[in-house]
Every structure is written in C-alpha cells, then in structure tokens.
Coordinates of all heavy atoms in Angstrom, one line a residue:
M1 N 47.2 119.0 52.2 CA 48.2 118.2 52.9 C 49.2 117.7 51.9 O 48.8 117.2 50.8 CB 47.5 117.0 53.6 CG 48.4 116.3 54.5 SD 47.6 114.9 55.4 CE 47.1 115.7 56.9
S2 N 50.4 117.8 52.2 CA 51.5 117.3 51.2 C 51.6 115.8 51.2 O 51.1 115.1 52.1 CB 52.8 118.0 51.5 OG 53.3 117.4 52.7
L3 N 52.3 115.4 50.1 CA 52.5 113.9 50.0 C 53.3 113.4 51.1 O 53.0 112.3 51.7 CB 53.2 113.6 48.6 CG 53.4 112.2 48.3 CD1 52.1 111.4 48.2 CD2 54.1 112.1 47.0
K4 N 54.3 114.1 51.6 CA 55.1 113.7 52.7 C 54.3 113.6 54.0 O 54.4 112.7 54.8 CB 56.3 114.6 52.9 CG 57.3 114.1 53.9 CD 58.6 114.8 53.8 CE 59.6 114.1 54.7 NZ 60.9 114.0 54.2
S5 N 53.4 114.6 54.2 CA 52.5 114.5 55.4 C 51.6 113.3 55.4 O 51.4 112.7 56.4 CB 51.7 115.8 55.5 OG 52.6 116.9 55.7
D6 N 51.1 113.1 54.2 CA 50.2 111.9 54.0 C 50.9 110.6 54.4 O 50.4 109.7 55.0 CB 49.6 111.8 52.6 CG 48.6 112.9 52.3 OD1 48.1 113.5 53.2 OD2 48.4 113.1 51.1
R7 N 52.2 110.5 53.9 CA 53.0 109.3 54.2 C 53.3 109.2 55.6 O 53.2 108.1 56.2 CB 54.3 109.4 53.4 CG 54.2 109.1 51.9 CD 55.5 109.1 51.3 NE 55.3 108.8 49.9 CZ 56.3 108.9 49.0 NH1 57.5 109.2 49.4 NH2 56.1 108.6 47.7
N8 N 53.6 110.3 56.3 CA 53.9 110.2 57.7 C 52.6 109.8 58.5 O 52.7 109.0 59.5 CB 54.4 111.6 58.2 CG 55.8 111.8 57.8 OD1 56.5 110.9 57.4 ND2 56.2 113.1 57.8
S9 N 51.4 110.3 58.1 CA 50.2 110.0 58.8 C 49.8 108.5 58.6 O 49.2 107.9 59.5 CB 49.1 110.9 58.4 OG 48.7 110.6 57.1
D10 N 50.3 107.9 57.5 CA 50.0 106.5 57.3 C 51.0 105.6 57.8 O 50.9 104.3 57.7 CB 49.8 106.3 55.8 CG 48.6 106.9 55.2 OD1 47.6 107.2 55.9 OD2 48.6 107.2 54.0
M11 N 52.1 106.1 58.3 CA 53.3 105.3 58.7 C 52.9 104.2 59.8 O 53.3 103.1 59.7 CB 54.4 106.1 59.2 CG 55.7 105.4 59.4 SD 56.3 104.5 57.9 CE 56.6 105.8 56.8
E12 N 52.1 104.6 60.8 CA 51.7 103.6 61.8 C 50.9 102.5 61.2 O 51.1 101.3 61.6 CB 50.9 104.3 62.9 CG 51.7 105.2 63.8 CD 52.9 104.5 64.4 OE1 52.7 103.4 65.0 OE2 54.0 105.0 64.4
E13 N 50.0 102.8 60.3 CA 49.2 101.7 59.6 C 50.2 100.8 58.8 O 50.0 99.6 58.8 CB 48.2 102.3 58.7 CG 47.5 101.3 57.9 CD 46.0 101.1 58.3 OE1 45.6 101.8 59.2 OE2 45.4 100.2 57.8
I14 N 51.1 101.4 58.1 CA 52.1 100.7 57.3 C 52.9 99.8 58.2 O 53.1 98.6 57.9 CB 53.0 101.6 56.5 CG1 52.1 102.3 55.4 CG2 54.1 100.9 55.9 CD1 52.8 103.5 54.8
K15 N 53.4 100.3 59.3 CA 54.2 99.5 60.2 C 53.4 98.3 60.8 O 53.9 97.2 60.9 CB 54.7 100.3 61.4 CG 55.9 101.2 61.0 CD 56.4 102.0 62.2 CE 57.5 102.9 61.8 NZ 58.0 103.6 62.9
K16 N 52.1 98.5 61.1 CA 51.3 97.4 61.5 C 51.2 96.3 60.5 O 51.3 95.1 60.7 CB 49.9 97.9 61.9 CG 49.8 98.6 63.2 CD 48.4 99.1 63.4 CE 48.4 100.1 64.6 NZ 47.0 100.6 64.8
L17 N 51.0 96.7 59.2 CA 50.9 95.7 58.1 C 52.2 95.0 57.9 O 52.3 93.8 57.6 CB 50.5 96.4 56.8 CG 49.0 96.9 56.8 CD1 48.8 97.8 55.6 CD2 48.0 95.8 56.8
L18 N 53.3 95.8 58.0 CA 54.6 95.1 57.8 C 54.9 94.2 58.9 O 55.5 93.1 58.7 CB 55.7 96.2 57.7 CG 55.8 97.0 56.5 CD1 56.8 98.1 56.6 CD2 56.1 96.2 55.3
D19 N 54.5 94.5 60.1 CA 54.7 93.6 61.3 C 53.9 92.4 61.3 O 54.2 91.4 61.9 CB 54.5 94.4 62.6 CG 55.6 95.4 62.9 OD1 56.7 95.3 62.3 OD2 55.4 96.3 63.6
Y20 N 52.8 92.4 60.5 CA 52.0 91.2 60.4 C 52.8 90.0 59.9 O 52.7 88.9 60.4 CB 50.8 91.5 59.4 CG 49.9 90.3 59.2 CD1 49.1 89.9 60.3 CD2 49.9 89.5 58.1 CE1 48.2 88.8 60.2 CE2 49.0 88.4 57.9 CZ 48.2 88.1 59.0 OH 47.4 87.0 58.8
Q21 N 53.6 90.2 58.9 CA 54.6 89.2 58.5 C 55.9 90.0 58.5 O 56.1 91.1 58.0 CB 54.4 88.8 57.0 CG 53.2 87.9 56.9 CD 53.1 87.4 55.4 OE1 53.1 88.2 54.5 NE2 53.0 86.1 55.3
P22 N 56.9 89.4 59.1 CA 58.2 90.1 59.2 C 58.7 90.5 57.9 O 58.8 89.8 56.9 CB 59.1 89.0 59.8 CG 58.2 88.0 60.5 CD 57.0 88.0 59.7
S23 N 59.0 91.8 57.8 CA 59.4 92.4 56.5 C 60.9 92.4 56.4 O 61.4 92.5 55.3 CB 58.9 93.8 56.4 OG 59.5 94.6 57.4
G24 N 61.7 92.3 57.5 CA 63.1 92.4 57.4 C 63.6 93.9 57.2 O 64.8 94.1 56.9
L25 N 62.7 94.8 57.3 CA 63.1 96.2 57.1 C 63.3 96.9 58.5 O 62.5 96.7 59.4 CB 61.9 97.0 56.4 CG 61.6 96.5 55.0 CD1 60.4 97.2 54.4 CD2 62.8 96.6 54.1
S26 N 64.3 97.7 58.5 CA 64.6 98.5 59.7 C 63.6 99.7 59.8 O 63.0 100.1 58.7 CB 66.0 99.0 59.8 OG 66.2 100.0 58.8
D27 N 63.5 100.4 60.9 CA 62.7 101.6 61.0 C 63.2 102.6 60.0 O 62.4 103.4 59.4 CB 62.6 102.1 62.4 CG 61.8 101.3 63.3 OD1 60.9 100.5 62.8 OD2 61.9 101.4 64.6
G28 N 64.5 102.7 59.9 CA 65.1 103.7 59.0 C 64.7 103.4 57.6 O 64.5 104.4 56.8
E29 N 64.7 102.2 57.2 CA 64.4 101.8 55.8 C 62.9 102.1 55.5 O 62.5 102.6 54.5 CB 64.7 100.4 55.5 CG 66.1 100.0 55.5 CD 66.5 98.6 55.5 OE1 65.7 97.8 56.1 OE2 67.5 98.2 54.9
V30 N 62.1 101.8 56.5 CA 60.6 102.1 56.4 C 60.4 103.6 56.3 O 59.6 104.1 55.4 CB 59.8 101.5 57.5 CG1 58.4 102.0 57.5 CG2 59.9 100.0 57.5
G31 N 61.1 104.4 57.1 CA 60.9 105.8 57.0 C 61.5 106.5 55.8 O 61.2 107.6 55.5
N32 N 62.4 105.8 55.1 CA 63.1 106.3 53.9 C 62.8 105.4 52.7 O 63.8 105.1 52.0 CB 64.5 106.5 54.2 CG 65.2 107.5 53.3 OD1 64.6 108.2 52.5 ND2 66.6 107.4 53.3
A33 N 61.6 105.1 52.5 CA 61.3 104.1 51.4 C 61.7 104.6 50.0 O 62.1 103.8 49.2 CB 59.8 103.8 51.4
D34 N 61.6 105.9 49.8 CA 62.0 106.4 48.5 C 63.5 106.1 48.2 O 63.8 105.7 47.1 CB 61.8 107.9 48.4 CG 60.3 108.3 48.4 OD1 59.5 107.4 48.1 OD2 60.0 109.5 48.6
A35 N 64.3 106.3 49.2 CA 65.8 106.1 48.9 C 66.0 104.6 48.7 O 66.8 104.2 47.9 CB 66.6 106.6 50.1
E36 N 65.2 103.7 49.5 CA 65.4 102.3 49.3 C 64.9 101.8 47.9 O 65.5 101.0 47.3 CB 64.6 101.5 50.4 CG 65.2 101.8 51.8 CD 66.6 101.3 52.0 OE1 67.0 100.3 51.4 OE2 67.3 102.0 52.6
L37 N 63.9 102.4 47.4 CA 63.4 102.1 46.1 C 64.4 102.5 45.1 O 64.7 101.8 44.1 CB 62.0 102.8 45.9 CG 61.3 102.4 44.6 CD1 61.0 100.9 44.6 CD2 60.0 103.2 44.6
E38 N 65.0 103.7 45.3 CA 66.0 104.2 44.3 C 67.2 103.2 44.4 O 67.8 102.9 43.3 CB 66.5 105.6 44.7 CG 67.4 106.2 43.7 CD 67.7 107.7 44.1 OE1 66.8 108.3 44.7 OE2 68.7 108.2 43.7
Q39 N 67.6 102.8 45.6 CA 68.7 101.9 45.7 C 68.5 100.5 45.0 O 69.4 99.9 44.4 CB 69.0 101.6 47.2 CG 70.3 100.8 47.4 CD 71.5 101.6 46.9 OE1 71.6 102.8 47.0 NE2 72.5 100.8 46.4
F40 N 67.2 100.1 45.0 CA 66.9 98.9 44.3 C 67.3 99.0 42.8 O 67.9 98.1 42.2 CB 65.4 98.6 44.3 CG 64.9 97.4 43.5 CD1 65.0 96.1 44.0 CD2 64.5 97.6 42.2 CE1 64.7 95.0 43.2 CE2 64.1 96.5 41.4 CZ 64.2 95.2 42.0
F41 N 67.0 100.1 42.2 CA 67.3 100.3 40.8 C 68.8 100.6 40.5 O 69.3 100.4 39.4 CB 66.4 101.4 40.1 CG 65.0 100.9 40.0 CD1 64.0 101.4 40.8 CD2 64.7 100.0 39.0 CE1 62.7 101.0 40.7 CE2 63.4 99.5 38.9 CZ 62.4 100.0 39.7
V42 N 69.5 101.0 41.6 CA 71.0 101.1 41.5 C 71.5 99.7 41.4 O 72.4 99.4 40.6 CB 71.6 101.9 42.7 CG1 73.1 101.7 42.7 CG2 71.2 103.3 42.6
N43 N 71.0 98.8 42.2 CA 71.5 97.4 42.3 C 71.0 96.6 41.1 O 71.7 95.7 40.6 CB 71.1 96.7 43.6 CG 71.8 97.3 44.8 OD1 73.0 97.7 44.7 ND2 71.1 97.4 45.9
F44 N 69.8 96.9 40.7 CA 69.2 96.1 39.6 C 68.6 97.1 38.6 O 67.4 97.5 38.7 CB 68.0 95.2 40.1 CG 68.5 94.2 41.1 CD1 68.3 94.4 42.5 CD2 69.1 93.0 40.7 CE1 68.8 93.5 43.4 CE2 69.6 92.1 41.7 CZ 69.4 92.4 43.0
P45 N 69.3 97.4 37.5 CA 68.7 98.3 36.5 C 67.4 97.7 36.0 O 67.3 96.5 36.0 CB 69.8 98.4 35.4 CG 71.1 98.0 36.2 CD 70.7 97.1 37.2
L46 N 66.6 98.6 35.5 CA 65.2 98.1 35.1 C 65.2 96.9 34.2 O 64.5 95.9 34.4 CB 64.5 99.3 34.4 CG 63.0 99.0 34.0 CD1 62.2 98.6 35.2 CD2 62.5 100.2 33.3
H47 N 66.1 96.9 33.1 CA 66.1 95.8 32.2 C 66.5 94.5 32.9 O 66.0 93.4 32.6 CB 67.0 96.1 31.0 CG 68.4 96.2 31.3 ND1 68.9 97.3 31.9 CD2 69.4 95.3 31.2 CE1 70.2 97.1 32.1 NE2 70.5 95.9 31.7
E48 N 67.4 94.6 33.8 CA 67.9 93.4 34.6 C 66.8 92.9 35.6 O 66.6 91.7 35.7 CB 69.2 93.8 35.4 CG 69.8 92.6 36.1 CD 71.1 93.1 36.8 OE1 71.8 93.9 36.3 OE2 71.3 92.5 37.9
A49 N 66.1 93.9 36.2 CA 65.1 93.5 37.2 C 63.9 92.7 36.4 O 63.4 91.7 36.9 CB 64.5 94.7 37.9
R50 N 63.6 93.2 35.2 CA 62.5 92.6 34.5 C 63.0 91.2 34.0 O 62.2 90.2 34.1 CB 62.1 93.4 33.3 CG 61.3 94.6 33.6 CD 60.7 95.3 32.4 NE 61.7 95.7 31.5 CZ 61.9 96.9 31.0 NH1 61.0 97.9 31.4 NH2 62.8 97.2 30.1
A51 N 64.2 91.1 33.6 CA 64.8 89.8 33.2 C 64.8 88.8 34.4 O 64.5 87.6 34.2 CB 66.2 90.0 32.6
N52 N 65.2 89.3 35.5 CA 65.2 88.4 36.7 C 63.8 87.9 37.1 O 63.6 86.8 37.4 CB 65.8 89.1 37.9 CG 67.2 89.3 37.8 OD1 67.9 88.6 37.1 ND2 67.8 90.2 38.6
M53 N 62.8 88.8 36.9 CA 61.4 88.4 37.2 C 61.0 87.3 36.2 O 60.3 86.3 36.5 CB 60.4 89.6 37.1 CG 60.4 90.5 38.3 SD 59.9 89.6 39.8 CE 58.3 89.0 39.3
K54 N 61.4 87.5 34.9 CA 61.0 86.5 33.9 C 61.7 85.1 34.2 O 61.0 84.1 34.1 CB 61.5 87.0 32.5 CG 61.1 86.1 31.4 CD 61.4 86.7 30.0 CE 60.8 85.8 29.0 NZ 61.7 85.1 28.2
E55 N 62.9 85.2 34.7 CA 63.6 83.9 35.0 C 62.9 83.2 36.2 O 62.8 82.0 36.2 CB 65.1 84.2 35.4 CG 66.0 84.4 34.2 CD 67.4 84.5 34.6 OE1 67.9 83.7 35.4 OE2 68.0 85.5 34.1
L56 N 62.5 84.0 37.2 CA 61.8 83.4 38.3 C 60.5 82.8 37.9 O 60.1 81.7 38.3 CB 61.5 84.5 39.4 CG 62.7 85.0 40.2 CD1 62.3 86.2 41.1 CD2 63.2 83.9 41.1
Y57 N 59.7 83.5 37.0 CA 58.5 82.9 36.5 C 58.7 81.7 35.7 O 58.1 80.6 36.0 CB 57.7 84.0 35.7 CG 56.5 83.4 35.0 CD1 55.4 83.1 35.8 CD2 56.5 83.1 33.7 CE1 54.2 82.6 35.2 CE2 55.4 82.5 33.1 CZ 54.3 82.3 33.8 OH 53.2 81.7 33.2
E58 N 59.7 81.7 34.8 CA 60.0 80.5 34.0 C 60.4 79.3 34.9 O 60.1 78.2 34.7 CB 61.0 80.8 32.9 CG 60.5 81.7 31.8 CD 61.5 82.2 30.9 OE1 62.7 82.0 31.1 OE2 61.1 82.7 29.8
G59 N 61.3 79.7 35.9 CA 61.7 78.6 36.8 C 60.6 78.0 37.6 O 60.5 76.8 37.8
W60 N 59.6 78.8 38.0 CA 58.5 78.3 38.7 C 57.7 77.4 37.9 O 57.3 76.3 38.3 CB 57.6 79.4 39.2 CG 56.3 79.0 39.8 CD1 56.2 78.5 41.1 CD2 55.0 78.8 39.2 NE1 54.9 78.2 41.3 CE2 54.2 78.3 40.2 CE3 54.6 79.1 37.9 CZ2 52.8 78.1 39.9 CZ3 53.2 78.8 37.7 CH2 52.4 78.3 38.6
V61 N 57.5 77.8 36.6 CA 56.7 76.9 35.7 C 57.4 75.6 35.4 O 56.9 74.5 35.4 CB 56.4 77.7 34.4 CG1 55.9 76.7 33.3 CG2 55.4 78.8 34.6
H62 N 58.7 75.7 35.2 CA 59.5 74.5 34.8 C 59.7 73.6 36.0 O 59.7 72.3 35.8 CB 60.9 75.0 34.3 CG 61.8 73.8 33.9 ND1 61.5 73.1 32.7 CD2 62.9 73.3 34.4 CE1 62.4 72.2 32.6 NE2 63.3 72.3 33.6
F63 N 60.0 74.1 37.2 CA 60.3 73.2 38.3 C 59.2 73.0 39.3 O 59.4 72.4 40.3 CB 61.5 73.8 39.1 CG 62.8 73.8 38.3 CD1 63.3 75.0 37.8 CD2 63.4 72.6 38.0 CE1 64.5 74.9 37.1 CE2 64.5 72.6 37.3 CZ 65.1 73.7 36.8
E64 N 58.0 73.4 39.0 CA 56.8 73.1 39.9 C 56.7 71.6 40.1 O 56.7 70.8 39.2 CB 55.5 73.7 39.2 CG 54.3 73.4 40.0 CD 54.2 74.3 41.3 OE1 55.0 75.2 41.4 OE2 53.4 73.9 42.2
A65 N 56.8 71.3 41.4 CA 56.8 69.8 41.8 C 55.6 69.1 41.2 O 55.8 68.0 40.6 CB 56.8 69.7 43.3
E66 N 54.4 69.6 41.3 CA 53.3 69.0 40.8 C 52.9 69.9 39.6 O 53.1 71.1 39.6 CB 52.1 69.0 41.8 CG 52.4 68.2 43.0 CD 51.2 68.3 44.0 OE1 50.1 68.8 43.6 OE2 51.5 68.0 45.1
S67 N 52.4 69.3 38.5 CA 52.1 70.0 37.3 C 51.0 71.1 37.7 O 49.9 70.7 38.2 CB 51.5 69.1 36.3 OG 51.2 69.8 35.1
P68 N 51.3 72.4 37.5 CA 50.3 73.4 37.9 C 49.1 73.3 37.0 O 49.2 73.0 35.9 CB 51.1 74.7 37.7 CG 52.2 74.4 36.8 CD 52.5 72.9 36.9
E69 N 48.0 73.6 37.7 CA 46.7 73.6 36.9 C 46.5 75.0 36.3 O 47.2 76.0 36.6 CB 45.6 73.3 37.9 CG 45.7 71.9 38.5 CD 44.6 71.6 39.5 OE1 43.6 72.4 39.5 OE2 44.7 70.6 40.2
G70 N 45.6 75.1 35.4 CA 45.3 76.3 34.6 C 45.1 77.5 35.5 O 45.7 78.6 35.2
E71 N 44.3 77.4 36.5 CA 44.1 78.6 37.4 C 45.4 79.0 38.1 O 45.6 80.2 38.2 CB 43.0 78.3 38.4 CG 42.6 79.5 39.2 CD 41.4 79.2 40.1 OE1 40.6 78.4 39.8 OE2 41.3 79.9 41.1
Q72 N 46.2 78.0 38.5 CA 47.4 78.3 39.2 C 48.4 79.1 38.2 O 49.0 80.0 38.6 CB 48.1 77.0 39.7 CG 48.8 77.1 41.0 CD 49.3 75.7 41.4 OE1 49.2 74.7 40.7 NE2 50.0 75.7 42.5
I73 N 48.4 78.6 37.0 CA 49.3 79.2 36.0 C 48.8 80.6 35.7 O 49.6 81.6 35.6 CB 49.4 78.4 34.7 CG1 50.1 77.1 35.0 CG2 50.0 79.1 33.6 CD1 50.1 76.1 33.9
M74 N 47.5 80.8 35.6 CA 46.9 82.1 35.3 C 47.2 83.1 36.5 O 47.6 84.2 36.2 CB 45.4 82.0 35.1 CG 45.0 81.3 33.8 SD 45.6 82.1 32.3 CE 44.6 83.6 32.4
D75 N 47.1 82.6 37.7 CA 47.4 83.5 38.9 C 48.8 83.9 38.9 O 49.2 85.1 39.1 CB 47.1 82.7 40.2 CG 45.6 82.6 40.4 OD1 44.8 83.2 39.7 OD2 45.2 81.8 41.3
M76 N 49.7 83.0 38.6 CA 51.2 83.3 38.6 C 51.5 84.2 37.4 O 52.3 85.1 37.6 CB 52.0 82.0 38.6 CG 53.5 82.3 38.7 SD 54.0 83.3 40.2 CE 54.1 82.0 41.4
L77 N 50.9 84.0 36.3 CA 51.1 84.9 35.1 C 50.6 86.3 35.4 O 51.3 87.3 35.1 CB 50.5 84.3 33.9 CG 50.7 85.1 32.6 CD1 52.2 85.2 32.3 CD2 50.0 84.4 31.4
F78 N 49.5 86.4 36.1 CA 48.9 87.7 36.5 C 49.9 88.4 37.4 O 50.2 89.6 37.3 CB 47.5 87.5 37.1 CG 46.9 88.8 37.5 CD1 46.5 89.8 36.6 CD2 46.8 89.1 38.9 CE1 45.9 91.0 37.0 CE2 46.2 90.3 39.3 CZ 45.8 91.2 38.3
F79 N 50.4 87.6 38.4 CA 51.3 88.2 39.4 C 52.6 88.6 38.7 O 53.1 89.7 39.0 CB 51.7 87.1 40.5 CG 52.7 87.6 41.4 CD1 52.4 88.4 42.5 CD2 54.0 87.1 41.3 CE1 53.4 88.9 43.3 CE2 55.0 87.5 42.2 CZ 54.7 88.4 43.2
F80 N 53.1 87.8 37.8 CA 54.3 88.2 37.0 C 54.1 89.5 36.3 O 54.9 90.4 36.4 CB 54.7 87.1 36.1 CG 55.7 87.5 35.0 CD1 57.0 87.6 35.4 CD2 55.3 87.7 33.7 CE1 57.9 87.9 34.4 CE2 56.2 88.1 32.8 CZ 57.5 88.2 33.1
N81 N 53.0 89.6 35.6 CA 52.7 90.8 34.8 C 52.5 92.1 35.7 O 53.0 93.2 35.4 CB 51.4 90.7 33.9 CG 51.7 89.8 32.8 OD1 52.8 89.7 32.2 ND2 50.7 89.0 32.4
Q82 N 51.9 91.9 36.9 CA 51.7 93.0 37.8 C 53.1 93.4 38.4 O 53.3 94.6 38.6 CB 50.8 92.6 38.9 CG 49.3 92.4 38.5 CD 48.8 93.8 38.0 OE1 48.7 94.7 38.8 NE2 48.4 93.8 36.7
M83 N 54.0 92.4 38.7 CA 55.3 92.8 39.2 C 56.1 93.5 38.2 O 56.8 94.5 38.5 CB 56.0 91.5 39.7 CG 55.5 90.9 40.9 SD 55.6 92.1 42.4 CE 57.4 92.4 42.5
I84 N 56.0 93.2 36.9 CA 56.7 93.9 35.9 C 56.2 95.3 35.8 O 56.9 96.3 35.7 CB 56.6 93.2 34.5 CG1 57.3 91.9 34.5 CG2 57.1 94.1 33.4 CD1 58.8 91.9 34.8
S85 N 54.8 95.5 35.9 CA 54.2 96.8 35.9 C 54.7 97.6 37.1 O 55.0 98.8 37.0 CB 52.7 96.7 35.9 OG 52.3 96.2 34.7
F86 N 54.8 97.0 38.3 CA 55.2 97.6 39.5 C 56.7 98.1 39.3 O 57.0 99.2 39.7 CB 55.2 96.6 40.7 CG 55.8 97.2 41.9 CD1 55.1 98.1 42.7 CD2 57.0 96.7 42.3 CE1 55.7 98.6 43.8 CE2 57.6 97.2 43.5 CZ 56.9 98.2 44.2
L87 N 57.5 97.3 38.7 CA 58.9 97.7 38.4 C 58.9 98.9 37.5 O 59.7 99.9 37.8 CB 59.7 96.5 37.8 CG 60.0 95.4 38.8 CD1 60.6 94.2 37.9 CD2 61.0 95.8 39.8
N88 N 58.2 98.8 36.4 CA 58.1 99.9 35.5 C 57.7 101.2 36.1 O 58.3 102.3 36.0 CB 57.3 99.6 34.3 CG 57.8 98.5 33.4 OD1 59.0 98.2 33.4 ND2 57.0 97.8 32.7
F89 N 56.6 101.2 36.9 CA 56.0 102.4 37.5 C 57.0 102.9 38.6 O 57.1 104.1 38.7 CB 54.6 102.2 38.0 CG 53.6 102.1 36.9 CD1 52.8 100.9 36.8 CD2 53.4 103.1 36.0 CE1 51.9 100.8 35.7 CE2 52.5 103.0 34.9 CZ 51.7 101.9 34.8
S90 N 57.6 102.0 39.3 CA 58.5 102.4 40.4 C 59.7 103.1 39.7 O 60.2 104.2 40.2 CB 59.0 101.2 41.2 OG 57.9 100.6 41.8
Y91 N 60.2 102.6 38.6 CA 61.3 103.2 37.9 C 60.9 104.6 37.4 O 61.7 105.6 37.6 CB 61.7 102.4 36.7 CG 62.9 102.9 36.0 CD1 64.2 102.8 36.6 CD2 62.8 103.5 34.8 CE1 65.3 103.2 35.9 CE2 63.9 104.0 34.1 CZ 65.1 103.9 34.7 OH 66.2 104.3 34.0
I92 N 59.7 104.8 36.9 CA 59.2 106.1 36.5 C 59.2 107.1 37.6 O 59.7 108.2 37.5 CB 57.8 106.0 35.8 CG1 57.9 105.2 34.5 CG2 57.2 107.4 35.6 CD1 56.5 104.8 34.0
V93 N 58.7 106.7 38.8 CA 58.7 107.6 39.9 C 60.1 108.0 40.3 O 60.3 109.2 40.6 CB 57.9 106.9 41.1 CG1 58.1 107.6 42.4 CG2 56.5 106.7 40.8
I94 N 61.0 107.0 40.4 CA 62.4 107.3 40.8 C 63.0 108.3 39.8 O 63.6 109.3 40.2 CB 63.2 106.0 40.9 CG1 62.7 105.2 42.1 CG2 64.7 106.3 41.0 CD1 62.7 105.9 43.4
R95 N 62.8 108.1 38.5 CA 63.4 109.0 37.5 C 62.8 110.4 37.6 O 63.5 111.4 37.5 CB 63.2 108.4 36.1 CG 63.9 107.2 35.8 CD 65.4 107.4 35.8 NE 65.7 108.4 34.8 CZ 66.8 108.4 34.0 NH1 67.6 107.4 34.1 NH2 67.0 109.3 33.1
Q96 N 61.5 110.5 37.8 CA 60.9 111.8 38.0 C 61.4 112.5 39.2 O 61.7 113.7 39.1 CB 59.4 111.7 38.0 CG 58.8 111.3 36.7 CD 57.3 111.0 36.8 OE1 56.8 110.7 37.9 NE2 56.6 111.0 35.7
K97 N 61.7 111.8 40.3 CA 62.2 112.4 41.5 C 63.6 112.9 41.3 O 64.0 113.9 41.8 CB 62.1 111.5 42.7 CG 60.8 111.3 43.2 CD 60.8 110.3 44.4 CE 59.5 110.4 45.1 NZ 59.6 111.0 46.4
Q98 N 64.4 112.1 40.5 CA 65.8 112.5 40.2 C 65.9 113.8 39.4 O 66.8 114.6 39.6 CB 66.5 111.4 39.5 CG 66.8 110.2 40.4 CD 67.4 109.0 39.6 OE1 67.2 108.9 38.4 NE2 68.0 108.1 40.4
K99 N 64.9 114.0 38.5 CA 64.9 115.2 37.6 C 64.4 116.4 38.4 O 64.7 117.5 37.9 CB 64.1 114.9 36.4 CG 64.7 113.9 35.5 CD 63.9 113.7 34.2 CE 64.6 112.7 33.3 NZ 63.9 112.6 32.1
S100 N 63.6 116.3 39.4 CA 63.1 117.5 40.1 C 64.0 117.9 41.3 O 65.0 117.5 41.5 CB 61.7 117.2 40.6 OG 61.6 116.0 41.4

C-alpha cells in the first residue's frame, strides 16, 4: 500500500481527532496537508520559525502570572524542544519532496 493510500485510509480517523477540538482547518486543507506544511515554511523560513518558538517560550517563562514550578518549566522546555524538532523534521520532509 502506498503512502498516499495509507493517508487516505486514515483520513476519517484524523478528521474525528481534529473535530474533537476545532482545528480551524477546511476539508481542502486537511486533504492537502503536504501543501499546507510547505506553505508554512514559505511564510516562516526554518530559522525564523525556530526563533519565533524561542520567543514564545521565553515570553511564557518571563510573563507567567504565577511563578512556574520546576515540573511546569520542565514540561514546557520539553514541549519547546519537541516543537523545534518537529519544525526541523517537517522542513526536511518538505525539502525532500521538492527535490523529487
């Protein structure tokens, strides 16, 4: 089974998960996720996206209404690092698709 077939077979499950919390995505965007991911990097080049994530993390730490506790800081730092990895790997996928 091809990657595209796998994606189509999982689409109903994905839509259910997206509908659990409103995603703000149209059916066209959901069906064409690769193009939307590519468009993200057109709007936010990789270095800029990483810098924006860093600003969001630093802002959260600085402006947290109540002083965050150690576990809260660790969770947010883990999330921050995972988001940076997500950006990096997403960029790799997009670049590989552009070359093929």
